[in-house]
Amino acid sequence: MSDPKHPELHVYEEPRNDFMDVGIGFGAFFGVLFLIAAIATVIQVMK
């Protein structure tokens, strides 16, 4: 257990909520794609 690469030593090193991370990432990606689509729509309508 003195090996620094041993996985059991690092289990609680950085507590994360993986479900919330995925949700925030999905929401941010959706927002970026929605913004790109809205800008493209406005450009198409103005032509």
Side-chain angles (χ1 to χ4, degrees), residues 3-18:
D3 182 18
K5 295 181 296 240
H6 199 281
E8 290 180 5
L9 296 176
H10 301 282
V11 171
Y12 298 110
E13 191 170 293
E14 184 182 356
R16 307 284 286 169
N17 185 350
D18 292 335

Side-chain angles (χ1 to χ4, degrees), residues 16-31:
R16 307 284 286 169
N17 185 350
D18 292 335
F19 184 72
M20 201 59 173
D21 287 343
V22 170
I24 291 171
F26 180 80
F29 187 64
F30 178 80

